[in-house]
Amino acid sequence: MTSQKLTFDRTAARSDTLGAEPLEGGTNFAIYSEHASAIELCLFGPDGEPTASAMLPEMEGGVWYGFAPGVWAGQRYGYRVHGPYEPERGLRFNPSKLLIDPYARQLDSELRWDDAVFGYDVMTGDDLTRDDRDSAPFIPKAVVTDTVFDWDDDTALRRRWADSVVYEAHLRGLTMKHPDVPEEIRGTFPALAHPAVLDHLTRLGITAVELLPIQGFVRDRHLQEKGLTNYWGYNTLNFFAPHAPYLAGTDLLEIKRTIKALHRAGIEVILDVVYNHTAEGSEKGPTLSFRGIDNLTYYLTDPAHPRHCYDVTGTGNTLNVSHPAVLRMVMDSLRYWVQVMHVDGFRFDLASTLGREATGFEREGCFFAAMKQDPVLSSVKLIAEPWDVGDGGYQVGGFPWPFREWNDKFRDDVRGFWRRDPGLSGRYAERLLGSPVQFGHSLRPATSSINFVAAHDGFTLWDTVAYNHKHNEANGEDGRDGHDHNVSDNMGHEGETDDAGVLAARTARVKAMLATLFLSRGVPMLLSGDEMGNSQGGNNNVYCQDNETSWIDWEAANLDLVDWVAQLTAVRRSFRDLTSRTFEGIGGAQGDRMGAVKWWHPDGRPIDDPDWGNLPCFGMILGEEDHCLLMLFNAGDGREVVLPDGDWRLRLSAAPLEPAGGRLDFPAQSVAVFDNG
């Protein structure tokens, strides 16, 4: 397909490092394919036109490799992989399709959709018939990348989990409407490092930013045809390269400078990563990388019918992490982001998939074992989304240490308690303690629970008090998308309103839920925008809305809520028992901190077990007698509360409170914190 011949120096070729590695005198290329018959390296110019190609000259152990003299950093390249096209055996080799190196550190563009990117005749839908059109004009080219960067004195912050406050954010949505961020960098890595953004995060007391996927992903064809796009990015194309539009220019150093700036502000960087599936979808999807390199190696296929993908992710395919070469790729990718890019941890999307073995989910499976023994990865922050859509996929509390887990039970019980759902006081108390039923086993600490009241998937926190029902019409699926389990309450009016009474009630409930988040044991995670009352107009599935629906409206920020969150994180920092790693139970203390938790009835007595049936107002006492916190929670109507004996000083409340004679008029839907120190 090109006139110029590419030559290799066999004496300098190496098989030990996969990907394109610039070395003295040229670049070493290496790629894994167990079932290929030959692999062709193709070079391209800046205009995307082919300039040279040649078959990789060496292969051992499934690694095809060659050293190309005179090929330097900045060179664009791709692969054509030769082998049988026999879909019924799970083999889908097609050298007409240019393929992206799984280890590419940078891609020069996004995928351009065309029928030619499919390995079969997409017009007829017959995946048994090979399509021989050249896909190279439409495929992003990998770029040979030099990883050298002067990190100066930048090192991992390694904050304790007990001291962590996580802020889940979309890189683009966080800054697209920020008035102080220059327009030309909004929605990119440099915008995240802008002083105005860093000042906001530090004011809130944030210690870690958890970014929705920033690895290279594909914008779905069916969404583009409807005038929509893949906004969230859970459609990964490559596990090493960043999503090209997230760079203000073309220089990868933007990412490193951003991470360095965040570290200097005392903020860690956690990446939301998607190692459970890829953008190639089912066997009817495009051939962009893994499918054409070695479908049987990189994907799980139906053992009885290997023509078909085995899907437990709901996206069409499942990455075959149990295969040593695929597991190595995942581990190499994670180590790259830690060692080369200096990120501080990862949140694993649909993490139950990573634990699937032949017998189902296995908490001692190969992926978890590899992570636990890895000297680099075992020491960074690891967070699991503990479910997938397959049988037995819901595994909250089932992951091994050192993983922490998203706790959706915290979200649902906190929302339900403040919505005044009956019978939730006992479960609400468990959430305050770090969810010991779920996590108090297998030597796991209370910081195993990542607590949240809202996340990117679902209603924002403000929308939980403004909408009874999802409003996803703009997504073009007639309201079928997005879940219906929102545990929300519009407080008397659906959507926006000017009614002062409704707005006051909404604000009170939002403040109460935020207070619960930061006063509970476990690790609090705040959805970006929730600290300022951000709304998505009732859309609980903005995955395809890259517009003002999903972008945070900074100019409409509720500054009262911003100040409230700052107060909450300050209280959390100042009282260590709020961040204890030990569990205590509702019926009495457990472990080595006897009496550290006590429960107080508003009538002025300790709570008995029968009280937990339906108790909308109660207190929680943490600490020793001479220095402890009294936290009061009232999801019901305003009422009088008899305080425990002692000299109590108000530390936190949304409204002024003045105890008199050991009694307190406690408003409805409110939280208050006192201490006796």
Side-chain angles (χ1 to χ4, degrees), residues 75-153:
Q75 174 65 59
R76 291 164 170 80
Y77 72 99
Y79 289 108
R80 299 184 188 276
V81 180
H82 299 254
Y85 186 82
E86 299 176 5
E88 291 182 325
R89 293 177 54 208
L91 301 173
R92 295 180 177 273
F93 296 105
N94 187 341
S96 299
K97 310 306 169 184
L98 188 75
L99 305 175
I100 298 167
D101 181 3
Y103 279 73
R105 268 48 170 186
Q106 185 173 4
L107 302 178
D108 69 348
S109 62
E110 291 189 83
L111 172 70
R112 290 170 49 207
W113 282 105
D114 187 90
D115 287 352
V117 304
F118 291 83
Y120 65 96
D121 186 350
V122 72
M123 293 299 294
T124 65
D126 178 16
D127 66 303
L128 297 179
T129 303
R130 197 177 84 170
D131 181 281
D132 291 329
R133 286 174 291 183
D134 184 9
S135 67
F138 313 103
I139 299 293
K141 310 305 184 291
V143 181
V144 178
T145 302
D146 189 343
T147 60
V148 174
F149 178 71
D150 181 11
W151 283 102
D152 196 17
D153 59 350

Side-chain angles (χ1 to χ4, degrees), residues 337-350:
W337 285 102
V338 172
Q339 294 178 301
V340 177
M341 308 303 276
H342 280 208
V343 305
D344 302 278
F346 305 94
R347 179 265 190 189
F348 294 88
D349 178 65
L350 299 183

Side-chain angles (χ1 to χ4, degrees), residues 447-460:
T447 54
S448 298
S449 176
I450 302 294
N451 299 330
F452 63 100
V453 287
H456 70 273
D457 187 3
F459 276 154
T460 67

Side-chain angles (χ1 to χ4, degrees), residues 544-558:
C544 58
Q545 299 292 332
D546 187 4
N547 50 48
E548 294 193 357
T549 298
S550 56
W551 301 341
I552 293 175
D553 189 353
W554 290 83
E555 293 186 332
N558 183 330

